Amino acid sequence: GAVVSQHPSRVICKSGTSVKIECRSLDFQATTMFWYRQFPKQSLMLMATSNEGSKATYEQGVEKDKFLINHASLTLSTLTVTSAHPEDSSFYICSARRLAGVGDTQYFGPGTRLTVL
Amino acid sequence: ELKVEQNPLFLSMQEGKNYTIYCNYSTTSDRLYWYRQDPGKSLESLFVLLSNGAVKQEGRLMASLDTKARLSTLHITAAVHDLSATYFCAGGSYSGAGSYQLTFGKGTKLSVIP
């Protein structure tokens, strides 16, 4: 099956620092990638949709200046949490959309657990 | 705006028993997805349901879709402990900006006990 990787898998940082998370589709090209955030024991909330070569589309309530998304190639999207604060601590999951024959599906990365001290 | 509701949110069942998780969605959805999530892990794709009446089965899990009722079900047959996880359904739709996205239900935490 399709593989999506994320790096790092876990990061602990001090308040006020910036953290970059990478999302790669390893064996397919993804014109669209998605970034989700999941708080403990809650569902996934879509933060933004990332399209290769264009600006990301952010969901309502997500600060685009705080969560910088870059989709530089068909296999790589990055999420940078700028000036992180403890309330940004969460599980961040990316997914990549793969079009294959009839229907398509999103393949999810393994997630990045961010802890801001 | 698509809304997805799952029930139950918590399910404790004995090994060997059958049960069904329900997923209702509010407006027309392009596709209906089921995912499994183990603690501390990301999502594993289980099923993608494309059309009315679609039924897919994998092992002890069977998913179905009724687009007229806007309902999908995930049926568990003869549960085993390994099925303990959180199961999410998600509906696919196009946003106002034209991008295709998933809207997730709150998830059903399944615990299979001996």
Side-chain angles (χ1 to χ4, degrees):
Chain A
V3 178
V4 176
S5 71
Q6 270 183 254
H7 178 79
S9 58
R10 189 180 298 265
V11 58
I12 301 172
C13 69
K14 292 182 179 179
S15 186
T17 60
S18 294
V19 175
K20 180 187 279 189
I21 303 170
E22 291 187 349
C23 177
R24 293 180 186 273
S25 56
L26 298 183
D27 54 355
F28 66 98
Q29 293 183 330
T31 54
T32 305
M33 290 184 172
F34 304 86
W35 288 96
Y36 296 86
R37 181 166 52 183
Q38 185 181 32
F39 291 108
K41 299 183 179 180
Q42 293 189 25
S43 188
L44 278 74
M45 297 300 295
L46 179 66
M47 298 176 67
T49 302
S50 169
N51 293 296
E52 187 266 338
S54 64
K55 291 183 179 180
T57 303
Y58 290 81
E59 294 301 301
Q60 195 171 12
V62 178
E63 299 175 58
K64 60 181 67 176
D65 293 332
K66 180 169 183 64
F67 298 99
L68 302 178
I69 292 172
N70 182 272
H71 196 151
S73 74
L74 288 172
T75 59
L76 173 64
S77 177
T78 60
L79 168 68
T80 301
V81 183
T82 62
S83 187
H85 290 284
E87 57 265 29
D88 298 323
S89 299
S90 186
F91 193 44
Y92 292 86
I93 305 175
C94 74
S95 72
R97 184 183 178 201
R98 182 181 194 182
L99 299 174
V102 176
D104 66 66
T105 194
Q106 288 187 24
Y107 292 91
F108 287 81
T112 297
R113 189 162 301 281
L114 170 64
T115 303
V116 185
L117 303 177
Chain B
E1 180 187 344
L2 177 63
K3 294 185 179 179
V4 178
E5 287 191 6
Q6 270 180 257
N7 71 85
L9 299 182
F10 298 93
L11 178 56
S12 180
M13 54 189 299
Q14 282 188 313
E15 280 189 329
K17 298 291 186 182
N18 305 332
Y19 211 84
T20 300
I21 300 171
Y22 298 89
C23 177
N24 291 92
Y25 53 97
S26 60
T27 64
T28 301
S29 177
D30 180 59
R31 298 177 181 93
L32 202 292
Y33 302 79
W34 285 96
Y35 293 92
R36 167 181 172 147
Q37 186 178 37
D38 292 297
K41 305 290 186 181
S42 188
L43 274 68
E44 173 190 352
S45 178
L46 295 175
F47 303 107
V48 181
L49 302 169
L50 302 177
S51 59
N52 188 43
V55 177
K56 290 193 174 181
Q57 183 164 3
E58 182 74 34
R60 302 175 186 274
L61 301 178
M62 183 175 71
S64 66
L65 179 62
D66 180 344
T67 58
K68 293 181 181 178
R70 294 179 182 162
L71 170 68
S72 180
T73 61
L74 180 66
H75 187 73
I76 302 154
T77 302
V80 293
H81 180 70
D82 286 351
L83 290 179
S84 297
T86 298
Y87 293 85
F88 290 96
C89 66
S93 63
Y94 285 91
S95 71
S99 64
Y100 187 82
Q101 57 188 232
L102 298 183
T103 302
F104 283 83
K106 291 186 176 182
T108 297
K109 184 173 181 179
L110 171 66
S111 299
V112 181
I113 54 178

